[in-house]
Amino acid sequence: EEIVDLFDANQGQKKALRIHEDSGRIFVAGMSTRTVTSADQTMKTLKEGALSRSTASTSMNAQSSRSHAIFTLHITQQRLISSSPASKSEACDDQLADSMNATDSPAASSDSGTGDGSVDFETLTAKLHFVDLAGSERLKRTGATGDRAREGISINCGLLALGNVISALGDKSKRASHVPYRDSKLTRLLQDSLGGNSQTLMIACISPSDRDFMETLNTLKYANRARNI
């Protein structure tokens, strides 16, 4: 497996991107970032990265994704709050409730804005991972060979590792045991956004064709396991 920076214009000159952990925070050293202040800017940035994704034709899909993709948003919100202990507590509770409904892993902190304690600043931060998982592939059906076959094998390995993590988090009897985050770079990147106080939503894309019945069934089974996290 390798990590590719989709915002890097010189992807031909591969950078050594490594996954690091600092105080429980997972990040990729050297990865490009963009500062956005609106939904329109966010969507423009997402489309920019999507244009750099690797796609190719197989027997099952004319534009098959040849990798998984992760689009990460780091959100920071700061606001003035009342210095009254009661109203401050209520404001924190309301804001955290809203954040839990809309974000992966929220955190809140407050800092005194002035020396007399009349004004406080409340800061909330959250990280959202939008993950596009490439579909699992059976080489017999895709007819892939060479690089396409190797990409398919790598895709399947990442899906298998993620499935094992989901099973470990969703099975009550295994929750106290080891969760194999390090089996894949995909699961390592998502480590701080699976389990814990994070929220996970999985959308399964399936085919209406009866020829793809087994792929559809396996996809639904895979997504069903995520409901138990």
Side-chain angles (χ1 to χ4, degrees), residues 83-167:
S83 61
S84 169
S87 59
K88 179 178 178 179
S89 175
E90 291 173 359
C92 287
D93 289 343
D94 291 341
Q95 189 67 15
L96 281 173
D98 292 339
S99 183
M100 284 294 288
N101 287 332
T103 65
D104 252 350
S105 39
S109 61
S110 60
D111 301 304
S112 178
T114 62
D116 60 8
S118 59
V119 177
D120 282 340
F121 290 99
E122 180 183 60
T123 302
L124 290 99
T125 60
K127 178 167 71 172
L128 290 86
H129 281 312
F130 294 92
V131 186
D132 181 12
L133 297 173
S136 60
E137 296 186 348
R138 288 188 292 167
L139 296 182
K140 183 177 180 180
R141 289 209 61 193
T142 62
T145 58
D147 289 343
R148 300 290 84 80
R150 285 188 287 273
E151 290 165 352
I153 292 171
S154 180
I155 288 170
N156 290 343
C157 287
L159 291 172
L160 176 62
L162 180 58
N164 290 337
V165 167
I166 289 174
S167 293

Side-chain angles (χ1 to χ4, degrees), residues 29 35 75 79 97 103 113 117 144 157 182 217 223:
T35 300
I75 301 175
R79 68 176 185 175
T103 65
C157 287
R182 294 178 180 269
L217 180 61

Side-chain angles (χ1 to χ4, degrees), residues 16-48:
L17 299 174
R18 298 180 179 274
I19 301 174
H20 294 272
E21 181 173 359
D22 180 24
S23 302
R25 184 174 65 94
I26 307 296
F27 64 96
V28 179
M31 183 67 70
S32 301
T33 60
R34 299 283 191 276
T35 300
V36 295
T37 57
S38 67
D40 288 340
Q41 290 181 6
T42 302
M43 293 304 299
K44 183 178 179 180
T45 304
L46 175 60
K47 292 177 181 178
E48 178 186 344

Side-chain angles (χ1 to χ4, degrees), residues 131 133 201-206 219 223:
V131 186
L133 297 173
L201 170 67
M202 181 175 287
I203 300 175
C205 299
I206 58 177
T219 299

